[in-house]
Amino acid sequence: MARNTYNPAGLDSETRAYHQRLFRQADILKEMPLHLLRGLWDQYDGCNDPEGFEGEAIHLALNMVGDGSYCAV
């Protein structure tokens, strides 16, 4: 079976769209001042989207700026 170079992991379209949205949000979030990013994480309760950002994107952004230990689980 030939490997799809556009989708090398073989993700279905829904999963690929989710990952793209997550990384777009994280790219925006990582430009925020750290205290605001931490504030968003503090607002996240596991099922809400503070300010329209998914919790996983906030967590990813904190990891990208080197502060992932702030949201350790």
Side-chain angles (χ1 to χ4, degrees):
M1 179 176 185
R3 192 160 190 156
N4 183 342
T5 56
Y6 176 72
N7 185 14
L11 302 174
D12 62 43
S13 61
E14 184 178 327
T15 303
R16 188 172 61 243
Y18 170 75
H19 285 184
Q20 289 170 341
R21 184 176 66 249
L22 187 71
F23 278 94
R24 274 195 305 270
Q25 288 183 10
D27 283 341
I28 293 167
L29 288 165
K30 71 181 183 182
E31 301 301 323
M32 293 177 81
L34 189 55
H35 72 282
L36 294 177
L37 190 53
R38 285 179 171 180
L40 284 175
W41 179 255
D42 291 341
Q43 292 175 37
Y44 180 60
D45 68 4
C47 48
N48 65 335
D49 294 335
E51 304 295 324
F53 293 104
E54 297 181 41
E56 288 188 42
I58 299 167
H59 190 177
L60 178 59
L62 281 164
N63 282 325
M64 293 168 99
V65 298
D67 201 35
S69 63
Y70 184 76
C71 50
V73 284

